Amino acid sequence: MPAVPYIINFFRERNFKIGIASSSPASIIEMVMRICNITEFIHVFVSAEDMQYGKQHPQVYLECAEQLNVDPSECICFEDSVNGMIAVKAAQMKCVIVPSLSAIKDPRWAAADLKIASLQNFNALHLNMF
């Protein structure tokens, strides 16, 4: 997603713990973190590749919260897929959906807590909503 460095810095400046919960294999997650130059800012990353369930199931998100030692209800997750959004909400976490432009009008996004067109659009006012 464009603006990944922006959103990482936004939360880092506020001393949030930052985790990645993904259905992608761990090797892909690590590669993307290196490419985006964010590896040092990620406290935990969890891959669902070896878990019994992938997204729509909340397992990968719950495992990430556990490894971060935070209550799931205190987590804010950014997603770009319907299955991811369903997993976030099933984990009882806050969901900010950042859909592709071609899917931005999908009515299913109504289940998210917030829909934004770009990570760059997230700001302190949005954070205070949660």
Side-chain angles (χ1 to χ4, degrees):
M1 276 187 193
V4 167
Y6 164 80
I7 203 71
I8 296 292
N9 285 329
F10 178 89
F11 284 102
R12 201 170 62 92
E13 289 170 357
R14 290 160 178 79
N15 296 314
F16 277 69
K17 295 178 183 177
I18 301 172
I20 295 176
S22 177
S23 292
S24 297
S27 60
I28 299 294
I29 299 168
E30 290 173 324
M31 180 184 69
V32 170
M33 288 190 314
R34 279 193 309 275
I35 289 169
C36 293
N37 202 25
I38 61 170
T39 303
E40 67 184 287
F41 308 121
I42 305 301
H43 297 95
V44 168
F45 75 89
V46 179
S47 168
E49 87 178 303
D50 294 324
M51 293 184 173
Q52 184 174 359
Y53 304 105
K55 293 177 184 179
Q56 298 176 307
H57 194 280
Q59 183 178 16
V60 70
Y61 278 108
L62 294 171
E63 179 64 26
C64 190
E66 184 176 318
Q67 288 188 32
L68 286 169
N69 196 32
V70 295
D71 188 281
S73 67
E74 295 177 357
C75 295
I76 302 171
C77 302
F78 291 81
E79 260 299 338
D80 65 348
S81 73
V82 172
N83 284 345
M85 177 186 66
I86 291 168
V88 170
K89 296 310 293 177
Q92 299 183 341
M93 299 174 172
K94 301 292 186 237
C95 183
V96 178
I97 195 74
V98 190
S100 66
L101 289 177
S102 63
I104 203 156
K105 293 185 180 187
D106 190 325
R108 295 176 291 179
W109 302 138
D113 297 287
L114 175 66
K115 179 177 75 171
I116 55 178
S118 166
L119 290 172
Q120 191 81 36
N121 294 348
F122 193 84
N123 59 47
L125 292 174
H126 295 118
L127 181 60
N128 290 335
M129 290 174 35
F130 301 120

